[in-house]
Amino acid sequence: MSPAQETGGNDQRSPHRARRFLRHNSLGLFFLTTFLLALVGQAVAGHAEFNNQLVSDGMNPVGFGAYVTSSDFAVDVTENWQSEYLQFFLYIFATVWLVQRGSPESKKPEQAGTESDEDQRVGEYARDDSPRWAAHKDWRGLVFSRSLGLVMGLVFVLSWLAQSVTGVAAHNEEQLRRLEAPTTWAHYLSSAEFWSRTLQNWQSELLAVASMAILAIYLRQRGSPESKPVGASHSATGVEG
C-alpha cells in the first residue's frame, strides 16, 4: 500500500475516532462545557453588577479583564467550588459506612464498611486489568484505595482556603472604598460575613444530597444509572437502572 493510500485510510478513520471519542466521553465533556459557559455567564453578569455598585458609590467602573482577575470575582467562584467538593468528600466517605434502605445511592445494608479484599479486587485478588497499585498491600495500596475521597477533600480544603484569602481581600477593598480600616485574615475568618457566605452554600449542597438519596427510593428516571429500574421495588437497595 502506498503512503497516499495509507494517509487516505487514516483520514477516513479520523472522523470515526473523533465521533467515538465524543460518544465515549460525552458525559464529562457535557458538564465541562456547561461549566465553562456558566463561568463565563457568571463573569459577565458579575462584571455588570460590580460596575453598577462602583457607579452608585461614585467611583469609575472597571474593565472586564480587571474584574475577572479581581478578588471579588475569585471569592464568588471559590465559595461555590468549596461547597461542591465538600459535598462529594462527605458523600464518598459517608457511603462507606452509612446506608439508606431503598436508595440506589446506597450500598446494601449488609455491605456497609470497606468490604473484603476479594470484593474490592486488591492484594492477591487484583486482576490483570486492575490498576497497578491495587495489587500492593503497603502504603501505595492504602493511598490508592482512598484516593478519590482524599483528592476531593484536598480540593475542598484548598478551595476553602482560597475563598478565605480572596474573601478578606475583597472585604478590605470594600473597606478602603468606604475609608474604613482593613481587617486581618484571622479576624475575617471568624467574622459573620465569612461564615454566612460559607454556610449558605454548605446547607444547599447537603440538602441536595439528602434529597437525591431519599427521593430515589420512590421516584424513577428510566435509563439513568442514578435511578433504580422503573419496576424495581421501593425497598430494593443499591440497584441501579
Side-chain angles (χ1 to χ4, degrees):
M1 181 181 292
S2 67
Q5 290 175 316
E6 289 181 1
T7 303
N10 290 335
D11 289 342
Q12 292 175 358
R13 286 195 295 269
S14 295
H16 174 69
R17 290 175 179 173
R19 287 194 297 269
R20 184 172 61 181
F21 174 82
L22 292 174
R23 181 172 180 270
H24 289 181
N25 298 278
S26 57
L27 183 62
L29 291 172
F30 170 76
F31 279 103
L32 284 174
T33 301
T34 52
F35 158 72
L36 292 174
L37 292 174
L39 186 63
V40 170
Q42 178 189 353
V44 172
H47 176 236
E49 180 185 13
F50 186 69
N51 277 340
N52 289 337
Q53 184 62 48
L54 289 179
V55 171
S56 67
D57 291 340
M59 304 183 69
N60 294 325
V62 300
F64 183 76
Y67 172 72
V68 296
T69 56
S70 69
S71 56
D72 291 88
F73 179 67
V75 68
D76 289 338
V77 171
T78 53
E79 77 175 36
N80 286 293
W81 288 7
Q82 57 91 9
S83 63
E84 296 291 345
Y85 281 98
L86 173 67
Q87 170 194 168
F88 286 118
F89 168 69
L90 291 178
Y91 191 72
I92 289 166
F93 279 103
T95 51
V96 174
W97 298 98
L98 305 180
V99 299
Q100 180 65 55
R101 180 176 170 81
S103 177
E105 300 295 315
S106 167
K107 296 193 295 185
K108 294 179 173 63
E110 63 272 15
Q111 293 177 335
T114 56
E115 303 178 14
S116 67
D117 288 354
E118 184 176 5
D119 290 334
Q120 288 292 310
R121 304 173 191 173
V122 297
E124 64 268 25
Y125 299 103
R127 302 178 180 179
D128 292 339
D129 60 349
S130 297
R132 185 171 57 184
W133 279 23
H136 294 282
K137 287 192 171 183
D138 54 13
W139 65 270
R140 290 169 292 183
L142 183 66
V143 170
F144 183 70
S145 65
R146 292 161 177 81
S147 56
L148 180 60
L150 291 174
V151 169
M152 290 293 183
L154 177 62
V155 177
F156 159 67
V157 171
L158 293 177
S159 300
W160 187 82
L161 287 174
Q163 178 201 349
S164 68
V165 172
T166 56
V168 71
H171 175 79
N172 283 339
E173 287 177 6
E174 185 176 351
Q175 291 288 95
L176 293 173
R177 287 196 295 267
R178 296 176 179 176
L179 302 179
E180 299 177 1
T183 187
T184 64
W185 177 77
H187 185 268
Y188 177 75
L189 205 61
S190 61
S191 68
E193 177 184 342
F194 174 76
W195 285 106
S196 175
R197 295 175 69 106
T198 299
L199 293 173
Q200 69 178 324
N201 285 284
W202 288 9
Q203 55 86 15
S204 62
E205 300 300 337
L206 297 174
L207 176 62
V209 172
S211 300
M212 184 64 185
I214 296 172
L215 291 176
I217 298 173
Y218 306 103
L219 307 179
R220 306 288 189 270
Q221 183 60 53
R222 183 167 182 163
S224 174
E226 299 303 312
S227 167
K228 293 186 287 189
V230 176
S233 167
H234 287 329
S235 61
T237 307
V239 179
E240 297 179 344

